[in-house]
Amino acid sequence: MELFMVEQDQDRQQVVSLWYCVRSKPKHEQIAARHLRLIPEVKVFCPQIRYRKATARGPVWFTEAVFPGYIFAKLDLAENFRRVCTTPGVSGIVHFGDCYSILSDGLIENLRQHMDGSEMKCFAAPVNVGDHARIVEGPCVGLDVVVMRFMPARERVTVLMNVLGRETETEVKLSALAIKPGTPWRRDEI
């Protein structure tokens, strides 16, 4: 991140739009981005991730900002400063004394590429075929298993477990598994 002193020149002929880091109110990144997009001279980039997480009421989709409390806006600071700072959901523009943090176009483009060209990146499947897992709920609690097949429509997986010295395939709820880090399973391990 580069810091520059932003000077206001009364005789400016051209509009200079630069990327700034805008601080939002807590958990208001999406609200601030939506309101900033209503200002015609302002471009907004608010990267978010969407993921599924097991909760007490079952698996739930969550959406969170990649940079909690911050969004990026391309604007002419001299022309839009007051309007941006008074936008609902916005706390202010990040600055250090009289210096406002300016982000390069290349940095924003790099972030967009990591987000696959959109503002939302979705992490869908929490398990892959071959992953080691442990059953954490139900009658088979504590058994180590290997994921054989993923059935997203039913939110279930087929797992291979060793019961009484015999390999057995069975279906379990996706939320009943805790994935163990490590290398994918090979059939000769059981």
Side-chain angles (χ1 to χ4, degrees):
M1 183 173 3
E2 301 174 26
L3 299 177
F4 295 99
M5 182 71 165
V6 178
E7 299 176 8
Q8 296 184 4
D9 184 2
Q10 301 296 335
D11 299 327
R12 283 183 354 171
Q13 297 295 326
Q14 62 181 2
V15 175
V16 178
S17 290
L18 300 169
W19 284 101
Y20 294 92
C21 186
V22 176
R23 190 174 50 247
S24 71
K25 294 178 181 173
K27 301 283 185 186
H28 281 69
E29 299 89 3
Q30 294 177 31
I31 294 167
R34 187 175 13 173
H35 285 286
L36 284 172
R37 285 187 180 102
L38 297 175
I39 304 171
E41 305 86 29
V42 177
K43 292 181 183 176
V44 178
F45 181 57
C46 180
Q48 302 168 34
I49 56 171
R50 183 170 166 80
Y51 62 95
R52 186 174 238 163
K53 183 176 174 184
T55 65
R57 59 179 191 216
V60 177
W61 283 99
F62 288 90
T63 302
E64 292 184 3
V66 173
F67 303 102
Y70 299 96
I71 56 178
F72 307 108
K74 187 171 188 172
L75 58 110
D76 178 8
L77 192 64
E79 296 292 321
N80 296 302
F81 178 79
R82 187 170 306 277
R83 193 165 180 194
V84 167
C85 288
T86 59
T87 298
V90 172
S91 284
I93 300 173
V94 175
H95 62 93
F96 304 96
D98 290 337
C99 297
Y100 288 88
S101 60
I102 298 173
L103 303 153
S104 68
D105 289 332
L107 177 65
I108 298 298
E109 188 56 38
N110 192 5
L111 284 171
R112 281 200 171 124
Q113 288 175 359
H114 284 293
M115 296 295 294
D116 300 329
S118 70
E119 285 193 0
M120 178 80 67
K121 189 162 190 164
C122 187
F123 296 97
V127 296
N128 295 309
V129 172
D131 283 350
H132 290 271
R134 177 165 284 159
I135 297 178
V136 293
E137 67 180 51
C140 299
V141 169
L143 281 178
D144 290 330
V145 297
V146 176
V147 177
M148 300 302 287
R149 191 171 31 253
F150 181 60
M151 297 168 275
R154 297 173 51 202
E155 296 188 18
R156 296 182 70 79
V157 293
T158 300
V159 296
L160 182 65
M161 63 175 67
N162 190 341
V163 179
L164 299 173
R166 185 173 173 196
E167 291 179 357
T168 306
E169 279 192 19
T170 188
E171 286 185 18
V172 296
K173 295 186 305 185
L174 181 60
S175 61
L177 292 181
I179 305 303
K180 295 166 76 177
T183 59
W185 171 80
R186 292 185 313 274
R187 196 159 193 80
D188 60 349
E189 291 179 356
I190 283 191

